[in-house]
Structure formats: C-alpha cells, structure tokens
Amino acid sequence: MKYQIIPVTPFQQNCSLVWCDESMKAAVIDPGGDIDRILSEVKKLGVSLEKVFLTHGHIDHVGGAKLLSEQLSIPIIGPHKADTFWLDNLVEQSQHFGLKACEPFTSTQYLEDGDSVTIGNLTLQVLHCPGHTPGHVVFFCEKAKTAWVGDVLFHGSVGRTDFPQSNHDDLISSITKKLWPLGRDVEFIPGHGPISTFGSERDQNPFVADQLFG
C-alpha cells in the first residue's frame, strides 16, 4: 500500500490518494475540492483511480466527490447513511463556508461498521465512529497499520462537536473504544494537520490521553 496526501481547499483538508502498488489501482479519500490538483497527482503517479471514499459529509471533505465520480464514472463509497442530511444540504454548506457551490448527491454505497472496502489487492476495514458527525467512518488498513480518521482525531486535538447531530460523548467513545484497540503503533492521517500515531495521542493528547480515560 502507498498513499499521497494532497491538501485541498482553503481548509487544507488532507485528501489522500491511496493505491495498491501491485495493481496500481487507486482510491481517493475525502476529495474536498481542487479536483484538477487531484487528477494531476493521479496522472503523475501513473495510477488508475477507480473509487471515491468518504469519511463524512462535510463539504471540505466531499466537495469534489460528485465531479470526480461523474468525470471518471467511478462510484462514491461512504460515509454511513446517518450523514445523508449533510450531503443533502451541500448548497447551504458551500454558502456558509464561502466555498464554490456544490450540488447535493447520493453516494453509490453507504457503509456500516464492520464493512470492508477494497483498492486493488488491498482491503480496508470500516469503523463507524460517530461524534463529529453521526455518520462518520474511519478506514483502516491492518496490513499497513494505517488509518484515515477524517475529523475524529487530530494530533493534539479531537473533532469539533458543535455541529447539528454532533455528540462529544460519542466522539470520545469512538476514539477510546474503536480506535485505541487497533494498536498504539497505528499511524493515522487526520482530516487536517500532521499525521500521528494512536500511541502518541494516548500519551499526549489532552482530550483523550490515557490518564483521563484509563
């Protein structure tokens, strides 16, 4: 497995291009916008982009999904169906955040906890991790010990819970009961900011450190 982080939109969202180095088949996780930049990276790396994966329905993570899907005739997979209301109000989201207008869309496939998705010969596990949004999912590659956590967890922080249907207790539970058991040595790519490991966050993150939650 290989991946390339492609920061997109004024929010510098960590869009990720992930590919199987055996088949060179690829998926893009959270294409929030700037699809020309994403497609340029696809061409440069010589991979075949076949799927769009979404962690949740906020516009800075999904803003380019529909255009990529239509342009390349590829499916949009994720998030959990509980985030459909976010996908339905993308026009309002774009106006609120001052981003380019984005049309609502319906994902090709919504995901459930325990599902798996594939990229060539790679398999990623799906974990439903509500809190930041009710339908947030995380993608985990056990073989590579790498997780794409969207806006659930950050280096030194956690996701916001001041949005409609957000829930702080659910967020903390998702982190401590879904992510920590994956292993301290798991590297994670957050939706924004630098990568980290679960072990580092368990030791140092003031919101979810082990001394607070055991």
Side-chain angles (χ1 to χ4, degrees):
M1 183 205 76
K2 294 184 178 180
Y3 70 87
Q4 177 69 44
I5 296 174
I6 310 168
V8 295
T9 80
F11 291 94
Q12 290 294 286
Q13 192 276 123
N14 286 332
C15 168
S16 289
L17 186 63
V18 186
W19 69 96
C20 165
D21 53 1
E22 295 175 350
S23 66
M24 298 303 285
K25 294 180 179 179
V28 62
I29 300 178
D30 288 356
D34 301 332
I35 66 169
D36 289 344
R37 184 184 305 171
I38 296 169
L39 292 174
S40 175
E41 198 69 26
V42 168
K43 183 178 180 180
K44 183 172 73 175
L45 292 167
V47 298
S48 175
L49 184 56
E50 298 191 333
K51 299 174 182 177
V52 174
F53 295 156
L54 302 178
T55 62
H56 65 293
H58 286 165
I59 190 169
D60 57 325
H61 290 254
V62 309
K66 183 178 181 181
L67 288 175
L68 273 177
S69 174
E70 292 176 344
Q71 188 167 329
L72 301 180
S73 297
I74 58 177
I76 300 173
I77 299 172
H80 184 280
K81 60 187 176 183
D83 263 20
T84 54
F85 77 100
W86 281 116
L87 302 181
D88 289 340
N89 78 350
L90 282 170
V91 172
E92 290 82 0
Q93 287 196 63
S94 58
Q95 292 172 345
H96 179 75
F97 290 107
L99 296 174
K100 184 177 179 181
C102 182
E103 294 181 1
F105 63 86
T106 299
S107 289
T108 311
Q109 176 189 350
Y110 292 104
L111 296 169
E112 299 285 345
D113 189 67
D115 283 349
S116 61
V117 294
T118 59
I119 309 168
N121 300 325
L122 297 173
T123 298
L124 305 184
Q125 300 174 21
V126 176
L127 297 89
H128 180 211
C129 293
H132 179 65
T133 68
H136 201 301
V137 298
V138 164
F139 298 100
F140 173 56
C141 182
E142 183 175 12
K143 184 177 181 180
K145 294 186 179 297
T146 304
W148 284 265
V149 303
D151 287 354
V152 172
L153 178 69
F154 302 103
H155 175 52
S157 188
V158 297
R160 289 172 57 180
T161 53
D162 56 345
F163 295 109
Q165 297 190 38
S166 295
N167 185 290
H168 182 74
D169 289 341
D170 286 348
L171 179 74
I172 300 303
S173 179
S174 290
I175 294 169
T176 58
K177 296 180 180 179
K178 292 286 187 71
L179 300 187
W180 287 175
L182 298 178
R184 290 180 56 89
D185 57 343
V186 171
E187 179 180 80
F188 70 91
I189 294 88
H192 309 265
I195 62 175
S196 184
T197 65
F198 291 155
S200 177
E201 300 312 305
R202 292 184 70 164
D203 292 340
Q204 302 177 28
N205 189 314
F207 296 92
V208 285
D210 281 350
Q211 64 261 33
L212 295 177
F213 296 93

